Amino acid sequence: SKGRTWNSNQAPFSPALAPEAMIQYNHGWGVFFVFRISGSVFPKAIVWALPAGALAAVMNIMKHSWGYESTTNGGTVMVSFASFISTLGFMVVFRSNQAWGRYWEGAGMVQKFRGAWFNAASSLIAFCSKKPEDKEKVRTFQCAVIRLMSFLYGTALSTLADTEFDCISQEGISLEHVEFLDRAAPEPNVVKCEVIMQWIQRSIVDNIGNGVLPIAPPILSRVFQELSGGVVNIASARKINELPFPFHYAQMLGVML
């Protein structure tokens, strides 16, 4: 049967990772966010732009009233337009390069933590005792590890996408543990990942002493390295998901477009 699934926190930022000064915004249809005032650079820019524009208008009126010949021609307009297009082109190319880099970095991190946790789980299965008297304990440990890794992977993915992911099952995971997880981390799945990771590590340590994992500590330490490596990679992937492209740049580009 399908186990319990964890839905990601509805807020676009994790409080632990996103400082209060971070400007949160939603592109929506790509138009409406350009009219946002909070966090915008336009109010401060207008302080300088309006006096300069007013001065230019006054000087132009004075020039015509005093009978000076107009110096504005098609070439001057084209130069101004070409400067604007060049600036816009640079901003679009820079934004596209950043988006391309963030996309592939995020995709790479997802594959890395998936591979790291798969290696950790497969190593734990391979390291288990083959003694007949330990068969039941080994089976219990292996089932718990697989289910906890499924919980961990699904919960980690849900921190990157506002969706639910099915886990193998919650058989073998007591209702008390599930309720504790809900109480300890009612919303942010980032915290749930840390709790589940602690469960896995504690289960490994407990089964070293009872003979289920009769493997040399230097070899077994590789499992902990893979687990911690996966945590680092999921944190890097969340960084891309939680920290958007700077609002000031995005708004300015939207206005220019």
Side-chain angles (χ1 to χ4, degrees):
S1 62
K2 291 184 178 180
R4 183 165 182 161
T5 57
W6 308 109
N7 189 17
S8 64
N9 185 17
Q10 298 300 320
F13 293 93
S14 169
L17 299 180
E20 294 180 357
M22 177 62 62
I23 300 176
Q24 306 180 24
Y25 68 96
N26 188 351
H27 285 283
W29 291 96
V31 176
F32 300 107
F33 84 100
V34 302
F35 299 105
R36 172 175 171 172
I37 299 299
S38 176
S40 176
V41 298
F42 287 117
K44 293 183 179 180
I46 289 176
V47 173
W48 295 91
L50 284 181
L55 179 61
V58 170
M59 294 180 65
N60 187 60
I61 293 174
M62 293 175 61
K63 181 182 69 173
H64 286 291
S65 62
W66 290 346
Y68 285 96
E69 182 180 355
S70 175
T71 57
T72 303
N73 52 45
T76 305
V77 175
M78 289 302 298
V79 169
S80 302
F81 186 72
S83 300
F84 175 81
I85 293 298
S86 299
T87 303
L88 177 60
F90 171 80
M91 294 180 68
V92 170
V93 171
F94 178 78
R95 175 69 186 272
S96 299
N97 287 337
Q98 290 294 313
W100 178 261
R102 286 163 62 92
Y103 170 78
W104 281 111
E105 182 183 1
M109 291 299 174
V110 170
Q111 295 302 318
K112 284 182 178 180
F113 76 75
R114 176 184 179 275
W117 288 343
F118 173 81
N119 288 337
S122 63
S123 296
L124 288 174
I125 299 299
F127 292 163
C128 287
S129 172
K130 293 185 178 180
K131 295 181 180 179
E133 60 269 23
D134 295 331
K135 181 177 180 180
E136 188 60 31
K137 292 190 296 184
V138 167
R139 182 180 181 278
T140 301
F141 170 72
Q142 291 178 344
C143 291
V145 165
I146 295 302
R147 291 185 173 91
L148 286 174
M149 292 299 296
S150 177
F151 264 115
L152 179 62
Y153 185 62
T155 306
L157 288 179
S158 70
T159 65
L160 303 176
D162 186 15
T163 186
E164 296 182 350
F165 294 90
D166 291 331
C167 302
I168 293 178
S169 82
Q170 65 182 33
E171 182 182 354
I173 302 176
S174 67
L175 181 61
E176 181 183 0
H177 283 80
V178 175
E179 291 176 349
F180 170 80
L181 192 63
D182 288 335
R183 292 195 307 270
E187 289 189 356
N189 278 351
V190 176
V191 180
K192 290 180 180 179
C193 285
E194 296 171 353
V195 173
I196 298 172
M197 176 64 71
Q198 183 64 24
W199 286 353
I200 295 173
Q201 293 177 330
R202 187 65 225 180
S203 178
I204 295 173
V205 172
D206 289 342
N207 283 275
I208 293 176
N210 63 10
V212 173
L213 292 171
I215 200 73
I219 299 176
L220 188 60
S221 65
R222 181 64 181 173
V223 172
F224 292 98
Q225 293 174 4
E226 293 285 5
L227 291 173
S228 62
V231 172
V232 172
N233 288 325
I234 187 60
S236 298
R238 284 201 304 266
K239 172 199 69 176
I240 299 174
N241 186 55
E242 295 172 348
L243 303 181
F245 197 80
F247 171 74
H248 312 90
Y249 195 107
Q251 187 185 44
M252 181 65 70
L253 182 59
V255 171
M256 293 181 69
L257 287 173

mmCIF file of all heavy atoms in Angstrom, residues 17 34 49 73 79 94 105 108 111 124 135 155 174 195 224 252:
data_model
loop_
_atom_site.group_PDB
_atom_site.id
_atom_site.type_symbol
_atom_site.label_atom_id
_atom_site.label_comp_id
_atom_site.label_asym_id
_atom_site.label_seq_id
_atom_site.Cartn_x
_atom_site.Cartn_y
_atom_site.Cartn_z
ATOM 1 N N LEU A 17 16.441 29.668 5.466
ATOM 2 C CA LEU A 17 17.385 29.939 4.401
ATOM 3 C C LEU A 17 17.207 31.313 3.792
ATOM 4 O O LEU A 17 18.146 31.882 3.249
ATOM 5 C CB LEU A 17 17.240 28.875 3.290
ATOM 6 C CG LEU A 17 17.522 27.440 3.719
ATOM 7 C CD1 LEU A 17 17.330 26.509 2.536
ATOM 8 C CD2 LEU A 17 18.939 27.301 4.250
ATOM 9 N N VAL A 34 5.769 44.111 -12.585
ATOM 10 C CA VAL A 34 6.571 45.298 -12.892
ATOM 11 C C VAL A 34 5.981 46.552 -12.260
ATOM 12 O O VAL A 34 6.662 47.579 -12.147
ATOM 13 C CB VAL A 34 6.703 45.491 -14.419
ATOM 14 C CG1 VAL A 34 7.329 44.279 -15.072
ATOM 15 C CG2 VAL A 34 5.359 45.813 -15.057
ATOM 16 N N ALA A 49 15.463 61.117 -12.127
ATOM 17 C CA ALA A 49 15.019 61.216 -13.519
ATOM 18 C C ALA A 49 14.091 62.400 -13.758
ATOM 19 O O ALA A 49 14.192 63.083 -14.782
ATOM 20 C CB ALA A 49 14.328 59.912 -13.928
ATOM 21 N N ASN A 73 17.828 65.176 -35.164
ATOM 22 C CA ASN A 73 17.567 64.609 -36.480
ATOM 23 C C ASN A 73 17.405 63.104 -36.359
ATOM 24 O O ASN A 73 17.500 62.531 -35.276
ATOM 25 C CB ASN A 73 18.697 64.965 -37.459
ATOM 26 C CG ASN A 73 20.077 64.617 -36.904
ATOM 27 O OD1 ASN A 73 20.270 63.543 -36.356
ATOM 28 N ND2 ASN A 73 21.023 65.554 -37.039
ATOM 29 N N VAL A 79 20.692 56.723 -32.854
ATOM 30 C CA VAL A 79 21.767 56.417 -31.912
ATOM 31 C C VAL A 79 21.201 56.135 -30.525
ATOM 32 O O VAL A 79 21.611 55.196 -29.840
ATOM 33 C CB VAL A 79 22.776 57.587 -31.857
ATOM 34 C CG1 VAL A 79 23.750 57.396 -30.691
ATOM 35 C CG2 VAL A 79 23.539 57.681 -33.161
ATOM 36 N N PHE A 94 22.208 38.128 -20.467
ATOM 37 C CA PHE A 94 22.701 37.811 -19.126
ATOM 38 C C PHE A 94 21.664 37.019 -18.337
ATOM 39 O O PHE A 94 21.994 36.027 -17.683
ATOM 40 C CB PHE A 94 23.046 39.108 -18.392
ATOM 41 C CG PHE A 94 23.521 38.897 -16.981
ATOM 42 C CD1 PHE A 94 24.818 38.472 -16.728
ATOM 43 C CD2 PHE A 94 22.664 39.110 -15.911
ATOM 44 C CE1 PHE A 94 25.250 38.268 -15.422
ATOM 45 C CE2 PHE A 94 23.091 38.906 -14.614
ATOM 46 C CZ PHE A 94 24.388 38.485 -14.372
ATOM 47 N N GLU A 105 22.343 23.455 -13.016
ATOM 48 C CA GLU A 105 22.891 23.231 -11.679
ATOM 49 C C GLU A 105 21.865 22.531 -10.793
ATOM 50 O O GLU A 105 22.189 21.579 -10.078
ATOM 51 C CB GLU A 105 23.305 24.564 -11.049
ATOM 52 C CG GLU A 105 23.927 24.404 -9.672
ATOM 53 C CD GLU A 105 24.265 25.730 -9.023
ATOM 54 O OE1 GLU A 105 23.994 26.785 -9.646
ATOM 55 O OE2 GLU A 105 24.787 25.723 -7.889
ATOM 56 N N GLY A 108 21.418 18.938 -11.915
ATOM 57 C CA GLY A 108 22.572 18.139 -11.513
ATOM 58 C C GLY A 108 22.563 17.803 -10.034
ATOM 59 O O GLY A 108 22.896 16.678 -9.638
ATOM 60 N N GLN A 111 20.115 14.943 -9.275
ATOM 61 C CA GLN A 111 20.676 13.639 -9.631
ATOM 62 C C GLN A 111 21.780 13.212 -8.668
ATOM 63 O O GLN A 111 21.942 12.026 -8.372
ATOM 64 C CB GLN A 111 21.216 13.685 -11.060
ATOM 65 C CG GLN A 111 20.152 13.911 -12.120
ATOM 66 C CD GLN A 111 19.074 12.839 -12.089
ATOM 67 O OE1 GLN A 111 19.359 11.649 -11.940
ATOM 68 N NE2 GLN A 111 17.827 13.247 -12.241
ATOM 69 N N LEU A 124 24.216 -0.349 2.589
ATOM 70 C CA LEU A 124 23.676 -0.890 3.837
ATOM 71 C C LEU A 124 23.090 -2.279 3.628
ATOM 72 O O LEU A 124 23.240 -3.171 4.477
ATOM 73 C CB LEU A 124 22.614 0.058 4.398
ATOM 74 C CG LEU A 124 23.135 1.372 4.985
ATOM 75 C CD1 LEU A 124 21.970 2.284 5.359
ATOM 76 C CD2 LEU A 124 24.011 1.108 6.209
ATOM 77 N N LYS A 135 18.861 -13.531 10.574
ATOM 78 C CA LYS A 135 18.037 -13.320 9.386
ATOM 79 C C LYS A 135 16.860 -12.383 9.657
ATOM 80 O O LYS A 135 16.581 -11.473 8.867
ATOM 81 C CB LYS A 135 17.528 -14.667 8.872
ATOM 82 C CG LYS A 135 16.688 -14.559 7.616
ATOM 83 C CD LYS A 135 16.264 -15.936 7.118
ATOM 84 C CE LYS A 135 15.419 -15.819 5.850
ATOM 85 N NZ LYS A 135 14.995 -17.161 5.356
ATOM 86 N N THR A 155 10.365 13.326 0.572
ATOM 87 C CA THR A 155 10.275 14.586 1.314
ATOM 88 C C THR A 155 11.240 15.612 0.755
ATOM 89 O O THR A 155 10.922 16.799 0.658
ATOM 90 C CB THR A 155 10.568 14.343 2.802
ATOM 91 O OG1 THR A 155 9.699 13.324 3.295
ATOM 92 C CG2 THR A 155 10.353 15.609 3.609
ATOM 93 N N SER A 174 6.251 3.257 13.089
ATOM 94 C CA SER A 174 5.156 3.347 14.045
ATOM 95 C C SER A 174 4.385 4.647 13.876
ATOM 96 O O SER A 174 4.922 5.668 13.414
ATOM 97 C CB SER A 174 5.685 3.243 15.472
ATOM 98 O OG SER A 174 6.482 4.371 15.791
ATOM 99 N N VAL A 195 14.976 15.351 10.283
ATOM 100 C CA VAL A 195 14.510 14.368 11.264
ATOM 101 C C VAL A 195 14.640 12.956 10.710
ATOM 102 O O VAL A 195 15.125 12.041 11.392
ATOM 103 C CB VAL A 195 13.048 14.666 11.665
ATOM 104 C CG1 VAL A 195 12.508 13.555 12.560
ATOM 105 C CG2 VAL A 195 12.947 16.008 12.385
ATOM 106 N N PHE A 224 27.852 6.963 5.793
ATOM 107 C CA PHE A 224 27.566 8.259 6.399
ATOM 108 C C PHE A 224 28.023 9.403 5.493
ATOM 109 O O PHE A 224 27.386 10.459 5.442
ATOM 110 C CB PHE A 224 28.237 8.360 7.770
ATOM 111 C CG PHE A 224 27.653 7.444 8.795
ATOM 112 C CD1 PHE A 224 28.231 6.224 9.082
ATOM 113 C CD2 PHE A 224 26.502 7.796 9.483
ATOM 114 C CE1 PHE A 224 27.690 5.375 10.030
ATOM 115 C CE2 PHE A 224 25.945 6.956 10.440
ATOM 116 C CZ PHE A 224 26.541 5.742 10.709
ATOM 117 N N MET A 252 13.256 45.597 -13.828
ATOM 118 C CA MET A 252 13.790 46.516 -14.821
ATOM 119 C C MET A 252 13.748 45.906 -16.210
ATOM 120 O O MET A 252 13.373 46.572 -17.183
ATOM 121 C CB MET A 252 15.235 46.865 -14.452
ATOM 122 C CG MET A 252 15.899 47.854 -15.415
ATOM 123 S SD MET A 252 15.122 49.476 -15.391
ATOM 124 C CE MET A 252 15.621 50.042 -13.765
#
